[in-house]
Amino acid sequence: MTAMVIPLTGALSAKTPWDSIYWKTTEAQVYRLQTRIAKAYREGRKGKVKALQWILTHSFQAKLLAVKRVVQNKGGKTPGVDRIIWRTSHQKMKAALSLQRRGYYTQPLRRIYIPKKNGQQRPLSIPSMKCRAMQALYLLALEPIAEYKADKNSYGFRPKRSTADAIECCFNALARKKSASWIFEADIKSCFDKISHSWIKNNIPMDKGILNKWLTAGYIDKNSFHRTEEGVAQGSVISPTLLTMTLSGLEEKVSLISKRRDKVNVCTYADDFVVTGATKEVLERIVKPTVEAFLKERGLELSQEKSKITHIDEGFNFLGFNTRKYKGKLIIKPSQKNVKSFLENIRETVKSNPTAKTEELIGQLNPKIRGWANYFRHVCAKKTFNHVDAQIFRLVWQWIKRRHPGKGAQWQKKKYFRSQGNRNWIFFTTVQSKDGQRICVDLIKASSLTIKRHIKIKAEATPFDLDFYEYFRLRERSQKVRFTKTRLLRGNRVDNT
């Protein structure tokens, strides 16, 4: 049954069914306004930009999309200080109708802490649902400008871009024999928490009144209110884009002070970036001081302990990948630290489910293995995948032996493993399908995914420029074809018994 198309006008009320909204039309109308904002900004028509931003932030279509983004986000079930969550159709529609600039006030953020890999705690600030929706609404009007201002080789928190693009950018800058040999690994100290409020207010082209309310909202930690005089909240919808805009211009700044023979290239992903150079002196005397001055204007500074300059023969880690030259050949593969962290996560999952049903264990492991392998499938990861599969097999075998200490190895193998073609020792279970048949569900192997090189996005491409509309359409089509082929290959892992 197809959804009923409802005209998106001001006549809608909180009684309108949320599920009856035709989202493709809604998205198309908002996208049209976004492309107009991008075009006006490129042409330098600041008055037109403000007018179009006002129209977009007062558009009911945009308000619907803002609420949709908040409720569908992973944190959509996590409340703010008011403990309110939008669950029902009535609540969502009422929320969209309530997104008004007039009378809007921000609530303090709820501060929680999540563990970091080094054992420390990372602060995370959670706005209320309404504040998140207002940020998502104004982000729709800010994102087209952020895309235009962002550095060409910036890949974090931007639509249509990924870590795979960032790694391919590093490959292009370092792969040739005459490429740069030195890398400046930069780490910004407490990036989100230290951005200057005055710089943001003076340089972010959006409603200053609304922006100021978000920056000075403060947070509640252990029942105590704390003011915020610097930084943006980690956990807010708009914070990633504010960070991207804060670091925009770094690539141009570095290129202006360097010459072509210096082989300086910048690759940025969120608050992590690397800069290449022909010599160590170029990075120490020219690039590093320039980067420090650029960050200082924005209230930021480099972490002297974590920032370092390394030679390509020693290699460096970036976004979970290790990039290094072996006898002049550039090899990019999963970093040892990332592999160790992943296997620890798998080990913890297996050990925490000693009495779980086999299908429950496979159901928890498969998404983790598939997601991790897909992340690294575009680099030299085949050997690493085989190693990971071997370690997971040992963990599963130990899990089986703990469950049946009185049974022999032959009995255990017959109960939990099957063969198919040339493959033996396939960890599996049988479940009942919707049509009543028993089917096999296998534990997938990371090595079953084919290695396929990623095609990097064009550096100047942005989805808000209609000149690139056809480019993105063809790119998405090729990615869908690749995904379909992968899914068909995985299909032979499930057979009728």
Side-chain angles (χ1 to χ4, degrees):
M1 183 178 179
T2 58
M4 177 176 58
V5 181
I6 292 181
L8 299 174
T9 66
L12 287 172
S13 67
K15 295 182 180 179
T16 303
W18 179 264
D19 296 334
S20 64
I21 298 171
Y22 192 63
W23 292 108
K24 286 188 177 181
T25 301
T26 308
E27 292 167 357
Q29 294 181 2
V30 172
Y31 176 71
R32 179 174 173 270
L33 277 173
Q34 288 179 311
T35 56
R36 291 179 64 192
I37 291 173
K39 182 181 178 182
Y41 191 83
R42 287 195 302 271
E43 295 173 351
R45 303 167 65 187
K46 294 184 179 180
K48 185 71 171 179
V49 170
K50 287 185 178 180
L52 290 171
Q53 284 184 317
W54 189 94
I55 293 172
L56 181 56
T57 53
H58 289 73
S59 162
F60 189 63
Q61 294 93 326
K63 294 176 182 180
L64 289 171
L65 284 181
V67 173
K68 182 186 178 185
R69 174 171 181 169
V70 169
V71 298
Q72 289 187 349
N73 189 274
K74 289 183 179 180
K77 296 181 181 179
T78 305
V81 292
D82 56 2
R83 299 292 175 181
I84 294 176
I85 300 177
W86 299 331
R87 291 191 178 92
T88 66
S89 172
H90 175 77
Q91 289 174 329
K92 295 172 186 176
M93 187 60 68
K94 188 176 180 180
L97 292 166
S98 70
L99 298 183
Q100 303 287 341
R101 185 187 187 283
R102 179 178 295 179
Y104 168 70
Y105 67 94
T106 56
Q107 292 181 307
L109 292 81
R110 183 164 70 93
R111 175 63 64 89
I112 63 172
Y113 295 89
I114 56 178
K116 297 171 67 175
K117 293 181 180 179
N118 58 8
Q120 297 179 353
Q121 298 287 322
R122 183 191 302 277
L124 189 67
S125 300
I126 304 175
S128 64
M129 296 290 283
K130 183 169 183 177
C131 288
R132 270 178 268 178
M134 284 292 286
Q135 289 185 15
L137 175 62
Y138 279 82
L139 177 59
L140 290 172
L142 180 63
E143 202 169 34
I145 301 174
E147 274 292 287
Y148 179 79
K149 289 175 67 69
D151 292 341
K152 291 183 178 180
N153 288 305
S154 170
Y155 300 96
F157 304 134
R158 295 182 61 187
K160 310 294 185 181
R161 299 189 177 216
S162 65
T163 54
D165 294 307
I167 295 303
E168 192 65 21
C169 175
C170 293
F171 179 86
N172 294 339
L174 297 166
R176 298 178 180 85
K177 289 184 179 180
K178 295 183 179 180
S179 296
S181 300
W182 292 88
I183 300 93
F184 174 43
E185 304 174 61
D187 185 273
I188 303 176
K189 189 176 182 180
S190 303
C191 187
F192 278 94
D193 300 329
K194 297 295 183 180
I195 302 176
S196 168
H197 281 186
S198 60
W199 189 93
I200 292 177
K201 294 173 185 176
N202 293 331
N203 292 275
I204 302 299
M206 64 169 290
D207 189 309
K208 303 303 180 183
I210 294 291
L211 180 60
N212 185 62
K213 288 181 180 180
W214 292 335
L215 294 176
T216 59
Y219 64 90
I220 293 179
D221 185 16
K222 298 178 181 178
N223 297 322
S224 298
F225 176 78
H226 301 266
R227 296 183 181 276
T228 49
E229 298 178 354
E230 60 182 2
V232 294
Q234 292 191 58
S236 296
V237 175
I238 204 169
S239 294
T241 301
L242 294 180
L243 174 62
T244 299
M245 298 187 73
T246 300
L247 297 180
S248 298
L250 175 63
E251 186 175 348
E252 182 182 4
K253 193 83 170 180
V254 171
S255 63
L256 287 175
I257 52 89
S258 61
K259 299 178 181 179
R260 187 173 182 180
R261 64 172 180 268
D262 295 331
K263 301 176 183 178
V264 173
N265 298 280
V266 181
C267 180
T268 308
Y269 190 92
D271 59 340
D272 295 325
F273 61 93
V274 294
V275 186
T276 67
T279 63
K280 189 175 183 179
E281 289 72 23
V282 167
L283 296 178
E284 285 181 336
R285 298 179 183 178
I286 300 177
V287 172
K288 189 176 179 180
T290 303
V291 171
E292 289 176 333
F294 176 87
L295 294 176
K296 188 176 181 180
E297 292 177 6
R298 293 151 175 78
L300 302 172
E301 62 177 326
L302 288 174
S303 172
Q304 300 300 330
E305 298 80 16
K306 296 180 180 179
S307 300
K308 56 184 179 179
I309 298 174
T310 55
H311 194 272
I312 190 62
D313 290 343
E314 298 176 19
F316 66 97
N317 293 334
F318 183 52
L319 303 177
F321 296 83
N322 178 262
T323 304
R324 180 180 174 185
K325 271 189 176 179
Y326 297 84
K327 297 181 180 179
K329 184 176 181 180
L330 186 72
I331 301 294
I332 303 179
K333 58 185 179 181
S335 67
Q336 292 182 359
K337 183 178 179 181
N338 186 279
V339 173
K340 182 179 178 181
S341 176
F342 172 69
L343 288 175
E344 286 177 354
N345 182 272
I346 295 294
R347 187 177 294 108
E348 183 180 345
T349 302
V350 174
K351 287 188 175 181
S352 62
N353 289 275
T355 59
K357 293 182 180 179
T358 307
E359 57 264 30
E360 293 176 357
L361 180 64
I362 292 176
Q364 291 186 49
L365 293 180
N366 274 355
K368 294 182 178 182
I369 298 171
R370 184 182 295 115
W372 182 84
N374 273 320
Y375 184 81
F376 291 105
R377 68 179 304 179
H378 59 276
V379 297
C380 303
K382 201 65 177 180
K383 288 184 178 180
T384 306
F385 285 175
N386 288 329
H387 167 72
V388 166
D389 288 336
Q391 295 300 315
I392 293 175
F393 173 82
R394 292 189 179 94
L395 291 172
V396 170
W397 184 248
Q398 291 171 2
W399 179 81
I400 294 170
K401 289 197 294 184
R402 284 195 298 268
R403 286 171 69 92
H404 306 283
K407 299 292 185 180
Q410 289 295 328
W411 183 92
Q412 293 169 350
K413 177 184 177 183
K414 185 176 180 181
K415 179 173 176 62
Y416 288 98
F417 296 92
R418 71 183 186 92
S419 300
Q420 180 181 336
N422 295 327
R423 293 186 64 218
N424 297 315
W425 296 91
I426 303 174
F427 184 60
F428 85 110
T429 188
T430 59
V431 297
Q432 188 170 351
S433 63
K434 293 181 180 180
D435 56 5
Q437 294 183 344
R438 300 294 297 180
I439 60 173
C440 292
V441 177
D442 301 341
L443 180 69
I444 69 168
K445 300 182 71 174
S447 57
S448 66
L449 273 73
T450 56
I451 303 298
K452 188 173 181 66
R453 184 171 177 178
H454 177 78
I455 300 174
K456 190 181 82 69
I457 190 173
K458 289 182 178 179
E460 66 278 6
T462 167
F464 301 110
D465 188 342
L466 293 179
D467 291 339
F468 291 101
Y469 177 81
E470 187 66 16
Y471 167 76
F472 281 110
R473 191 181 68 84
L474 295 175
R475 184 176 174 85
E476 288 176 0
R477 179 186 294 178
S478 65
Q479 290 175 344
K480 285 181 180 179
V481 170
R482 190 182 310 168
F483 174 77
T484 303
K485 288 182 178 179
T486 303
R487 198 167 64 176
L488 289 173
L489 288 172
R490 288 206 306 262
N492 61 19
R493 299 286 183 263
V494 179
D495 299 325
N496 291 332
T497 56

